[in-house]
Coordinates of all heavy atoms in Angstrom, one line a residue:
M221 N 1.2 17.3 -89.1 CA 2.6 17.4 -88.7 C 2.9 16.5 -87.5 O 2.1 16.6 -86.5 CB 3.0 18.8 -88.4 CG 4.4 19.1 -88.0 SD 4.7 20.8 -87.7 CE 6.5 20.8 -87.7
Y222 N 4.0 15.8 -87.5 CA 4.3 14.9 -86.4 C 4.9 15.7 -85.2 O 5.8 16.5 -85.3 CB 5.3 13.8 -86.8 CG 4.6 12.7 -87.6 CD1 4.9 12.6 -88.9 CD2 3.8 11.8 -87.0 CE1 4.3 11.7 -89.7 CE2 3.2 10.8 -87.8 CZ 3.4 10.8 -89.1 OH 2.8 9.8 -89.9
V223 N 4.3 15.4 -84.0 CA 4.9 16.0 -82.8 C 5.9 14.9 -82.2 O 7.0 15.3 -81.8 CB 3.8 16.2 -81.8 CG1 4.3 16.6 -80.4 CG2 2.9 17.3 -82.3
C224 N 5.5 13.7 -82.2 CA 6.3 12.6 -81.6 C 6.7 11.6 -82.7 O 5.8 10.8 -83.2 CB 5.6 11.9 -80.5 SG 6.5 10.5 -79.8
S225 N 7.9 11.7 -83.2 CA 8.3 10.8 -84.3 C 8.5 9.3 -83.8 O 8.4 8.4 -84.5 CB 9.5 11.3 -85.0 OG 10.6 11.6 -84.1
C226 N 8.8 9.2 -82.5 CA 9.0 7.8 -81.9 C 7.7 7.0 -82.1 O 7.8 5.8 -82.3 CB 9.4 7.9 -80.5 SG 11.1 8.5 -80.2
F227 N 6.6 7.6 -81.8 CA 5.3 6.9 -81.9 C 4.4 7.3 -83.0 O 3.2 6.9 -83.1 CB 4.6 7.0 -80.5 CG 5.3 6.2 -79.4 CD1 6.1 6.9 -78.5 CD2 5.3 4.9 -79.3 CE1 6.8 6.3 -77.5 CE2 6.0 4.2 -78.4 CZ 6.8 4.9 -77.4
G228 N 4.9 8.2 -83.8 CA 4.1 8.7 -85.0 C 2.8 9.5 -84.5 O 1.8 9.3 -85.1
V229 N 3.0 10.2 -83.5 CA 1.8 11.0 -83.0 C 1.8 12.4 -83.6 O 2.8 13.1 -83.6 CB 1.8 11.1 -81.4 CG1 0.7 11.9 -80.9 CG2 1.8 9.7 -80.8
T230 N 0.7 12.8 -84.1 CA 0.6 14.1 -84.8 C 0.0 15.2 -83.8 O -0.5 14.9 -82.8 CB -0.4 14.0 -86.0 OG1 -1.7 13.7 -85.5 CG2 0.1 13.0 -87.0
E231 N 0.3 16.4 -84.3 CA -0.3 17.6 -83.5 C -1.8 17.4 -83.3 O -2.3 17.7 -82.3 CB 0.1 18.8 -84.3 CG 0.0 20.1 -83.6 CD 0.5 21.3 -84.4 OE1 1.6 21.2 -85.0 OE2 -0.2 22.3 -84.5
Q232 N -2.4 17.0 -84.4 CA -3.9 16.9 -84.3 C -4.3 15.8 -83.3 O -5.3 16.0 -82.5 CB -4.4 16.5 -85.7 CG -6.0 16.5 -85.7 CD -6.5 16.2 -87.1 OE1 -5.8 16.0 -88.0 NE2 -7.8 16.2 -87.2
Q233 N -3.6 14.7 -83.2 CA -3.9 13.7 -82.2 C -3.7 14.3 -80.8 O -4.5 14.0 -79.9 CB -3.0 12.5 -82.4 CG -3.4 11.6 -83.6 CD -2.4 10.5 -83.8 OE1 -1.2 10.8 -84.1 NE2 -2.9 9.3 -83.7
V234 N -2.6 15.0 -80.6 CA -2.4 15.7 -79.3 C -3.6 16.6 -78.9 O -4.1 16.6 -77.8 CB -1.0 16.4 -79.2 CG1 -0.9 17.2 -77.9 CG2 0.1 15.5 -79.3
R235 N -4.0 17.4 -79.9 CA -5.1 18.3 -79.6 C -6.4 17.5 -79.3 O -7.2 17.9 -78.4 CB -5.4 19.1 -80.9 CG -4.4 20.2 -81.0 CD -4.9 21.4 -81.7 NE -3.9 22.5 -81.7 CZ -3.1 22.7 -82.8 NH1 -3.2 21.9 -83.8 NH2 -2.2 23.6 -82.7
Q236 N -6.6 16.3 -80.0 CA -7.8 15.5 -79.7 C -7.7 15.0 -78.3 O -8.7 15.0 -77.6 CB -7.9 14.4 -80.7 CG -8.4 14.8 -82.1 CD -8.2 13.7 -83.1 OE1 -7.6 12.7 -82.9 NE2 -8.8 14.0 -84.3
H237 N -6.6 14.5 -77.8 CA -6.4 14.0 -76.5 C -6.6 15.2 -75.5 O -7.2 15.0 -74.4 CB -5.1 13.4 -76.3 CG -4.9 12.1 -77.0 ND1 -5.8 11.0 -76.9 CD2 -3.9 11.7 -77.9 CE1 -5.4 10.1 -77.7 NE2 -4.3 10.4 -78.3
A238 N -6.2 16.4 -75.8 CA -6.4 17.5 -75.0 C -7.9 17.8 -74.9 O -8.4 18.1 -73.8 CB -5.6 18.7 -75.5
D239 N -8.6 17.8 -76.0 CA -10.0 18.0 -76.0 C -10.7 17.0 -75.1 O -11.8 17.3 -74.5 CB -10.6 18.0 -77.4 CG -10.2 19.2 -78.2 OD1 -9.8 20.2 -77.6 OD2 -10.3 19.1 -79.5
A240 N -10.2 15.8 -75.1 CA -10.8 14.7 -74.3 C -10.4 14.8 -72.8 O -10.9 14.0 -72.0 CB -10.4 13.4 -74.9
G241 N -9.6 15.8 -72.5 CA -9.3 16.1 -71.0 C -7.9 16.0 -70.6 O -7.6 16.2 -69.4
A242 N -7.0 15.6 -71.5 CA -5.6 15.5 -71.1 C -5.0 16.9 -71.1 O -5.0 17.6 -72.1 CB -4.8 14.7 -72.1
C243 N -4.5 17.3 -69.9 CA -4.0 18.7 -69.7 C -2.5 18.8 -69.5 O -2.0 19.9 -69.4 CB -4.8 19.4 -68.6 SG -6.5 19.7 -69.0
T244 N -1.9 17.7 -69.3 CA -0.4 17.7 -69.0 C 0.3 16.7 -70.0 O -0.4 15.8 -70.5 CB -0.2 17.2 -67.6 OG1 -0.6 15.9 -67.5 CG2 -0.9 18.1 -66.6
P245 N 1.6 16.9 -70.2 CA 2.3 15.9 -71.0 C 2.2 14.5 -70.5 O 2.1 13.6 -71.3 CB 3.8 16.4 -71.0 CG 3.6 17.9 -70.7 CD 2.4 18.0 -69.8
R246 N 2.1 14.3 -69.2 CA 2.0 13.0 -68.7 C 0.6 12.3 -69.1 O 0.5 11.2 -69.4 CB 2.1 13.0 -67.1 CG 2.1 11.7 -66.5 CD 2.2 11.9 -65.0 NE 3.5 12.5 -64.6 CZ 4.5 11.9 -64.0 NH1 4.4 10.6 -63.7 NH2 5.6 12.5 -63.8
Q247 N -0.4 13.2 -69.1 CA -1.7 12.7 -69.5 C -1.8 12.4 -71.0 O -2.4 11.4 -71.4 CB -2.8 13.7 -69.1 CG -3.0 13.7 -67.6 CD -4.0 14.8 -67.2 OE1 -4.1 15.8 -67.9 NE2 -4.5 14.7 -66.0
I248 N -1.1 13.2 -71.8 CA -0.9 12.9 -73.2 C -0.2 11.6 -73.4 O -0.6 10.7 -74.2 CB -0.2 14.0 -73.9 CG1 -1.0 15.3 -73.9 CG2 0.1 13.7 -75.4 CD1 -2.3 15.4 -74.6
A249 N 0.9 11.4 -72.6 CA 1.6 10.1 -72.7 C 0.8 8.9 -72.3 O 0.9 7.9 -73.0 CB 2.8 10.2 -71.8
S250 N -0.1 9.1 -71.3 CA -1.0 8.0 -71.0 C -1.9 7.6 -72.1 O -2.3 6.5 -72.3 CB -1.8 8.3 -69.7 OG -1.0 8.5 -68.6
A251 N -2.3 8.6 -72.8 CA -3.3 8.4 -73.9 C -2.7 7.8 -75.1 O -3.3 7.0 -75.8 CB -4.0 9.8 -74.2
C252 N -1.5 8.2 -75.5 CA -0.9 7.8 -76.8 C 0.6 7.5 -76.8 O 1.1 7.2 -77.8 CB -1.2 8.9 -77.8 SG -0.4 10.4 -77.5
K253 N 1.2 7.5 -75.6 CA 2.6 7.1 -75.4 C 3.6 8.2 -75.9 O 4.8 8.1 -75.7 CB 3.0 5.8 -76.2 CG 2.4 4.6 -75.6 CD 3.0 3.4 -76.3 CE 2.5 2.1 -75.7 NZ 3.2 1.0 -76.3
A254 N 3.1 9.3 -76.5 CA 3.9 10.4 -76.9 C 4.8 10.9 -75.8 O 4.2 11.2 -74.7 CB 3.1 11.5 -77.5
G255 N 6.1 11.0 -76.0 CA 7.0 11.5 -74.9 C 7.6 10.4 -74.0 O 8.4 10.7 -73.1
T256 N 7.2 9.2 -74.2 CA 7.7 8.1 -73.3 C 8.9 7.3 -73.8 O 9.4 6.4 -73.2 CB 6.5 7.1 -73.0 OG1 6.1 6.5 -74.3 CG2 5.4 7.8 -72.3
D257 N 9.4 7.7 -75.0 CA 10.6 7.0 -75.5 C 11.8 7.9 -75.3 O 12.4 8.0 -74.3 CB 10.4 6.6 -76.9 CG 11.5 5.6 -77.4 OD1 12.4 5.3 -76.5 OD2 11.5 5.1 -78.5
C258 N 12.2 8.7 -76.3 CA 13.3 9.6 -76.2 C 13.1 10.9 -75.5 O 14.0 11.5 -74.9 CB 13.9 9.9 -77.6 SG 12.9 11.2 -78.5
G259 N 11.8 11.3 -75.4 CA 11.4 12.5 -74.6 C 11.6 13.8 -75.4 O 11.4 14.8 -74.9
G260 N 12.1 13.6 -76.6 CA 12.4 14.8 -77.4 C 11.2 15.7 -77.8 O 11.3 16.8 -78.2
C261 N 10.0 15.1 -77.6 CA 8.8 15.8 -78.1 C 8.1 16.5 -76.9 O 7.1 17.2 -77.1 CB 7.8 14.8 -78.7 SG 7.4 13.5 -77.7
V262 N 8.5 16.2 -75.7 CA 7.8 16.7 -74.5 C 7.6 18.2 -74.5 O 6.5 18.7 -74.2 CB 8.5 16.3 -73.2 CG1 7.8 16.9 -72.0 CG2 8.4 14.7 -73.1
R263 N 8.7 19.0 -74.9 CA 8.6 20.4 -75.0 C 7.5 20.9 -76.0 O 6.8 21.8 -75.8 CB 9.9 21.1 -75.3 CG 10.8 21.1 -74.0 CD 12.1 21.8 -74.4 NE 12.9 21.8 -73.2 CZ 12.9 22.9 -72.3 NH1 12.2 23.9 -72.6 NH2 13.7 22.9 -71.3
R264 N 7.5 20.1 -77.1 CA 6.5 20.5 -78.2 C 5.1 20.2 -77.7 O 4.2 21.0 -77.9 CB 6.8 19.7 -79.4 CG 7.7 20.4 -80.4 CD 8.0 19.5 -81.6 NE 9.1 18.6 -81.1 CZ 9.5 17.5 -81.8 NH1 9.0 17.3 -83.0 NH2 10.4 16.7 -81.3
I265 N 4.9 19.1 -76.9 CA 3.6 18.8 -76.3 C 3.2 19.9 -75.3 O 2.1 20.4 -75.3 CB 3.6 17.4 -75.7 CG1 3.8 16.4 -76.8 CG2 2.4 17.2 -74.9 CD1 4.1 15.0 -76.3
Q266 N 4.2 20.3 -74.5 CA 3.9 21.3 -73.5 C 3.5 22.6 -74.2 O 2.6 23.3 -73.8 CB 5.2 21.6 -72.7 CG 5.4 20.6 -71.6 CD 6.7 20.8 -70.8 OE1 7.7 21.3 -71.4 NE2 6.7 20.5 -69.6
A267 N 4.2 22.9 -75.3 CA 3.9 24.2 -76.1 C 2.5 24.1 -76.6 O 1.7 25.0 -76.6 CB 4.9 24.4 -77.2
L268 N 2.1 22.9 -77.2 CA 0.7 22.7 -77.7 C -0.3 22.9 -76.6 O -1.3 23.6 -76.8 CB 0.6 21.3 -78.3 CG 1.1 21.1 -79.7 CD1 1.0 19.7 -80.1 CD2 0.3 22.0 -80.7
L269 N 0.0 22.3 -75.4 CA -1.0 22.4 -74.3 C -1.1 23.9 -73.8 O -2.2 24.3 -73.5 CB -0.6 21.5 -73.2 CG -0.6 20.0 -73.5 CD1 -0.1 19.2 -72.3 CD2 -2.1 19.6 -73.8
G270 N 0.0 24.6 -73.9 CA 0.1 25.9 -73.4 C -0.6 26.9 -74.4 O -1.0 28.0 -74.0
R271 N -0.8 26.5 -75.6 CA -1.5 27.3 -76.6 C -3.0 27.1 -76.7 O -3.6 27.3 -77.7 CB -0.9 27.1 -78.0 CG 0.3 27.9 -78.3 CD 0.7 27.9 -79.7 NE 1.9 27.2 -79.9 CZ 2.2 26.3 -80.9 NH1 1.3 26.0 -81.7 NH2 3.3 25.8 -81.0
G272 N -3.6 26.7 -75.6 CA -5.0 26.6 -75.5 C -5.5 25.3 -76.1 O -6.7 25.2 -76.4
A273 N -4.7 24.3 -76.2 CA -5.2 23.0 -76.7 C -6.1 22.3 -75.7 O -6.9 21.5 -76.0 CB -4.0 22.0 -77.1
C274 N -5.9 22.7 -74.5 CA -6.7 22.1 -73.4 C -7.8 23.1 -73.0 O -7.5 24.1 -72.3 CB -5.8 21.7 -72.2 SG -6.8 21.1 -70.9
P275 N -9.0 22.9 -73.4 CA -10.1 23.8 -73.0 C -10.4 23.9 -71.6 O -11.0 24.8 -71.1 CB -11.3 23.3 -73.9 CG -11.0 21.9 -74.1 CD -9.5 21.7 -74.1
R276 N -10.1 22.9 -70.8 CA -10.4 22.8 -69.4 C -9.5 23.6 -68.5 O -9.7 23.8 -67.3 CB -10.5 21.4 -68.9 CG -11.6 20.7 -69.6 CD -11.6 19.2 -69.3 NE -12.4 18.5 -70.3 CZ -13.0 17.4 -70.0 NH1 -12.9 16.8 -68.9 NH2 -13.8 16.8 -71.0
R277 N -8.3 24.0 -69.0 CA -7.3 24.6 -68.2 C -7.8 25.9 -67.6 O -7.7 26.1 -66.4 CB -6.1 24.9 -69.1 CG -5.0 25.6 -68.3 CD -3.8 25.8 -69.1 NE -3.2 24.5 -69.5 CZ -2.0 24.1 -69.1 NH1 -1.2 24.9 -68.4 NH2 -1.5 23.0 -69.5
E278 N -8.5 26.7 -68.4 CA -9.0 28.0 -67.8 C -10.1 27.7 -66.8 O -10.0 28.4 -65.7 CB -9.7 28.8 -69.0 CG -8.7 29.8 -69.6 CD -9.4 30.7 -70.6 OE1 -10.5 31.1 -70.3 OE2 -8.8 30.9 -71.7
A279 N -10.9 26.8 -67.0 CA -12.0 26.5 -66.0 C -11.4 26.0 -64.7 O -11.8 26.4 -63.6 CB -12.9 25.4 -66.6
S280 N -10.3 25.2 -64.8 CA -9.7 24.7 -63.6 C -9.0 25.8 -62.8 O -8.9 25.8 -61.6 CB -8.8 23.5 -63.8 OG -7.7 23.9 -64.6
D281 N -8.4 26.8 -63.6 CA -7.8 27.9 -62.9 C -8.8 28.7 -62.1 O -8.5 29.2 -61.0 CB -7.1 28.8 -64.0 CG -5.8 28.2 -64.5 OD1 -5.4 27.2 -63.9 OD2 -5.3 28.7 -65.5
V282 N -10.0 28.9 -62.7 CA -11.0 29.7 -62.0 C -11.4 29.0 -60.8 O -11.6 29.6 -59.7 CB -12.3 29.9 -63.0 CG1 -13.4 30.4 -62.2 CG2 -11.9 30.8 -64.1
N283 N -11.6 27.6 -60.9 CA -12.0 26.9 -59.7 C -10.9 26.8 -58.7 O -11.2 26.4 -57.5 CB -12.4 25.5 -60.2 CG -13.7 25.5 -61.0 OD1 -14.5 26.4 -60.8 ND2 -13.8 24.5 -61.8
A284 N -9.7 27.2 -59.0 CA -8.6 27.1 -58.1 C -8.6 28.2 -57.0 O -7.9 28.2 -56.1 CB -7.2 27.1 -58.8
L285 N -9.4 29.2 -57.3 CA -9.5 30.3 -56.3 C -10.1 29.8 -55.0 O -11.0 29.0 -55.0 CB -10.5 31.4 -56.8 CG -10.0 32.4 -57.9 CD1 -11.1 33.3 -58.4 CD2 -8.8 33.2 -57.3
P286 N -9.5 30.2 -53.9 CA -10.0 29.7 -52.6 C -11.4 30.2 -52.3 O -11.7 31.4 -52.7 CB -9.0 30.2 -51.6 CG -8.3 31.3 -52.3 CD -8.4 31.0 -53.7
L287 N -12.2 29.4 -51.7 CA -13.5 29.9 -51.3 C -13.4 31.1 -50.4 O -12.6 31.1 -49.5 CB -14.3 28.8 -50.7 CG -14.7 27.6 -51.6 CD1 -15.4 26.5 -50.8 CD2 -15.7 28.1 -52.7
G288 N -14.2 32.1 -50.6 CA -14.2 33.2 -49.7 C -13.2 34.2 -50.0 O -12.9 35.2 -49.2
A289 N -12.5 34.1 -51.1 CA -11.4 35.0 -51.5 C -12.0 36.4 -51.7 O -11.4 37.4 -51.2 CB -10.7 34.6 -52.8
D290 N -13.2 36.5 -52.2 CA -13.9 37.8 -52.4 C -14.2 38.4 -51.1 O -14.0 39.6 -50.8 CB -15.1 37.7 -53.2 CG -14.8 37.3 -54.7 OD1 -13.7 37.5 -55.1 OD2 -15.7 36.9 -55.4
A291 N -14.7 37.6 -50.2 CA -15.1 38.1 -48.8 C -13.8 38.7 -48.1 O -13.9 39.7 -47.4 CB -15.7 37.0 -48.0
G292 N -12.7 38.1 -48.3 CA -11.5 38.6 -47.6 C -11.1 39.9 -48.2 O -10.7 40.8 -47.4
L293 N -11.3 40.1 -49.5 CA -11.0 41.4 -50.1 C -12.0 42.5 -49.6 O -11.6 43.6 -49.2 CB -11.0 41.4 -51.6 CG -9.9 40.6 -52.2 CD1 -10.2 40.4 -53.7 CD2 -8.6 41.3 -52.0
A294 N -13.2 42.1 -49.4 CA -14.2 43.1 -49.0 C -14.0 43.5 -47.5 O -14.1 44.6 -47.2 CB -15.6 42.4 -49.1
D295 N -13.5 42.6 -46.7 CA -13.2 42.9 -45.3 C -12.0 43.9 -45.2 O -12.0 44.7 -44.3 CB -12.8 41.6 -44.5 CG -14.1 40.8 -44.3 OD1 -15.2 41.3 -44.5 OD2 -13.9 39.6 -44.0
A296 N -11.1 43.8 -46.1 CA -9.9 44.6 -46.1 C -10.2 46.0 -46.5 O -9.5 47.0 -46.1 CB -8.8 44.0 -47.0
A297 N -11.3 46.2 -47.3 CA -11.6 47.6 -47.8 C -12.3 48.5 -46.8 O -12.7 48.2 -45.8 CB -12.5 47.5 -49.0
Ligands
FES147 S1 9.8 12.0 -80.2 FE1 8.3 11.5 -78.7 S2 9.2 10.1 -77.4 FE2 10.7 10.4 -79.0

């Protein structure tokens, strides 16, 4: 199924780019131009990325915790 009709980009292609590390619509656009013409597909791309198409998103969220966050909680208890 096509996600971006301007460039003929399919849902599967978006998922492949996400698997290769693209986690934002901008990174998908860099990889295949999807979203860079009329922009009508950007929300669909965001929805695909939000549905777990990007396996690295969870890992980066975990790494976003500040160092020592656990220690701060322990001190407060
Ligand atoms: S449908 Fe993707 S840029 Fe137009």
Side-chain angles (χ1 to χ4, degrees):
M221 179 179 194
Y222 285 107
V223 172
C224 176
S225 52
C226 290
F227 292 101
V229 177
T230 64
E231 197 173 308
Q232 186 175 0
Q233 286 174 298
V234 171
R235 287 211 175 94
Q236 285 170 349
H237 291 306
D239 286 345
C243 292
T244 64
R246 188 178 295 252
Q247 289 171 338
I248 295 292
S250 294
C252 64
K253 292 188 174 183
T256 60
D257 193 359
C258 75
C261 59
V262 173
R263 282 181 179 268
R264 268 174 282 171
I265 292 169
Q266 283 175 326
L268 279 173
L269 295 174
R271 271 193 247 138
C274 179
R276 294 174 196 205
R277 181 176 294 243
E278 266 184 44
S280 66
D281 284 350
V282 168
N283 291 333
L285 282 174
L287 290 175
D290 290 344
L293 288 173
D295 288 345

